[in-house]
Amino acid sequence: MTGIDDVARAAGVSTATVSRALSGRGVVSAATREKVLAVAGELGYVVSVAASSLASGRAQSIGVLVPLPDLWFFSTVVSAISGRLLPHGYDITLFNLTENPAERRVLFDRSLRRGRIDGLIVLSAWLSAAEQAELAALDVPVVGIGPSPALPTLVVDDVAVGRAATAHLLALGHRDIAHIGQSDGDDFHIPTLRRRGWEQALTDAGIAPRDDLYAAGDFTLEGGRAAARRLLTGPAPTAIFAASDEMAVGALVAARDLGLAVPGDVSIVGVDGHELSRFFDLSTVDQFPHAQGERVADAMLAALGELEAPAEVGLPFELVVRGSSAAPPA
Amino acid sequence: MTGIDDVARAAGVSTATVSRALSGRGVVSAATREKVLAVAGELGYVVSVAASSLASGRAQSIGVLVPLPDLWFFSTVVSAISGRLLPHGYDITLFNLTENPAERRVLFDRSLRRGRIDGLIVLSAWLSAAEQAELAALDVPVVGIGPSPALPTLVVDDVAVGRAATAHLLALGHRDIAHIGQSDGDDFHIPTLRRRGWEQALTDAGIAPRDDLYAAGDFTLEGGRAAARRLLTGPAPTAIFAASDEMAVGALVAARDLGLAVPGDVSIVGVDGHELSRFFDLSTVDQFPHAQGERVADAMLAALGELEAPAEVGLPFELVVRGSSAAPPA
DNA sequence: TTGAAAGCGCTAACAG
DNA sequence: CTGTTAGCGCTTTCAA
């Protein structure tokens, strides 16, 4: 491996100057900088992270903590983060947060603490308060996406999301609007917030939210289908607001299986902006996951002093009306 | 930060002994090892990767090169790799291979060469031969998934996959079997191999493959739908073999849109074992992506000397017959 | 089985 | 603007 002194020798300068020229820290005359860059290029020299990190304290890597890396939403966000951080010289270290307590301990006690990362991005509402506190106690900046009691995070106003979806259905003339979600009463729980939005919108319209128009789903296609089947064979609402696009597609299929036309007999609205929603012509509240990844990456860069701190505005969302929602049957 | 000499002092031994006790390299008496482990635990000491890596040459991290991290197949494989490598103390560094030439250069010239990784796992058939050669020239072991001219990889026999799907349809009595895929004539191109399998199975059955029963799809839902629409409104085959589950689901929807019953009027078979295939009751050739991730992780561990080299067998696949395939209409 | 000590390859004062 | 030099915190000979 060619090292920094090979470059120094070939360029006729000291290693300190090579370091300065290559890192951009400290002053170097334009002429020597160019010389050094040229020589380094010819020699194919690349700074060793290990040595650089040991000497400088900077690891040139950002950790991303993900609960379910194979969920479309998370992998999309990670992909966006990666794209944003690469140009700044940061690599991405992926930490898969499993349910396994032993693995979690290894993760929190060792992986995250061995100095590999300059910062941590947390994509998980599924951390205990204690775990969130542990993260906050790391000696690196931590930023996240989603409501959290202990971490600085970027959030979508999920109550407003629920209201937007429900208000859309109300405006179309629906009154029996069901909800598929997963409410646990926690203020930092996204599904709970979306359910609140549903309740608020109904209440604002002078309609009492009915418990029998709520069905729990587990955010999968199958869960959405099962929940919708229960709703449509029971109280038979004219519209369903599902807390995710995957559940909404499940509901779409359930309706078809029951011989119901969408949106003729029942309207369906989801949340996410998932690729499936476009394919199935599903009305949804898009929350722009890719943009979320970019925003959280920017927040991290700001925390690292590499960027101006961006304005503190909530993450955007937008109702996208497609073919799955229309006026209720006459 | 507590360092190795804090531990050494508290345990009453030298730093060399602490290092040996914690790393498991070199001999330490059982008694001292326990003492050291206990003290390290109390102090919450964690070895610094930077220092350890600089001194030992081991970075404790494996790179994973992924073309499209947000595709279900890839994110599933990455997730499995991560689960397998964590217990061995390796972190995962995710390298997102984009189409952007500038980003690719940064990746190949810097990120991959700065000594952060002890090995590289390549999930990409989309590397040029030159790039594959560059990877082979890294000073770390490289293993991949999918056919490659220059890299050691684990492969599914994709010709056999195509034959299995087609043979299934033939056995049901179909003769006009269409294929949706993407063939470019390259021997290291998975879609091409699947198409060959389709052709071989037909030929073996005494049926000449027809060009008008082939339609190109881009491995998306939309691409599958468009291709199927062309096939079903044209030569009207009684069965379609799609080279991916996403395209197969697209075909399923296209058939319904045209008023055709599946499998009554047309049978459909996909490839992958995608979650969508189960939900849509789609017959498919499962290639067990999660197991692929574990297998390639094991291959990496073997290359690093942490595991016995596993037997050199091809990656498994299996025809899963569900409700989308049946005998052709009478 | 353990300890002393020489680096690993860089960076960042500090001097000049 | 550039060079000298002392570490950064470990690992690993080598000796004992």
Side-chain angles (χ1 to χ4, degrees), chain B residues 45-102:
Chain B
Y45 170 70
V46 181
V47 177
S48 147
V49 258
S52 170
S53 167
L54 182 57
S56 73
R58 278 168 264 116
Q60 302 288 76
S61 161
I62 300 296
V64 184
L65 187 60
V66 190
L68 295 169
D70 47 344
L71 272 199
W72 174 83
F73 178 82
F74 290 119
S75 59
T76 300
V77 173
V78 170
S79 178
I81 290 172
S82 159
R84 200 66 158 201
L85 259 25
L86 181 74
H88 289 261
Y90 289 101
D91 293 331
I92 299 289
T93 301
L94 191 70
F95 297 109
N96 188 172
L97 182 74
T98 64
E99 303 269 291
N100 182 315

Side-chain angles (χ1 to χ4, degrees), chain A residues 99-156:
Chain A
E99 304 269 294
N100 182 315
E103 291 181 3
R104 273 174 113 101
R105 286 266 55 83
V106 172
L107 192 62
F108 281 83
D109 292 346
R110 194 172 64 164
S111 299
L112 292 175
R113 300 185 56 232
R114 53 175 161 181
R116 190 189 299 286
I117 57 178
D118 295 320
L120 182 68
I121 294 177
V122 179
L123 305 186
S124 179
W126 308 339
L127 291 172
S128 69
E131 288 173 331
Q132 289 178 278
E134 282 191 69
L135 295 187
L138 288 175
D139 57 346
V140 298
V142 178
V143 302
I145 287 183
S148 158
L151 262 25
T153 57
L154 303 180
V155 294
V156 171

Side-chain angles (χ1 to χ4, degrees), chain A residues 187-202:
Chain A
D187 274 346
F188 298 101
H189 188 237
I190 291 172
T192 299
L193 299 175
R194 291 183 186 162
R195 178 179 181 170
R196 292 228 177 104
W198 168 68
E199 292 168 345
Q200 286 183 14
L202 290 177

Side-chain angles (χ1 to χ4, degrees), chain A residues 25 88 90 118 141 297-310:
Chain A
R25 302 176 167 256
H88 289 262
Y90 289 102
D118 295 320
D298 283 346
M300 176 53 69
L301 289 169
L304 295 168
E306 304 226 356
L307 228 58
E308 293 280 307

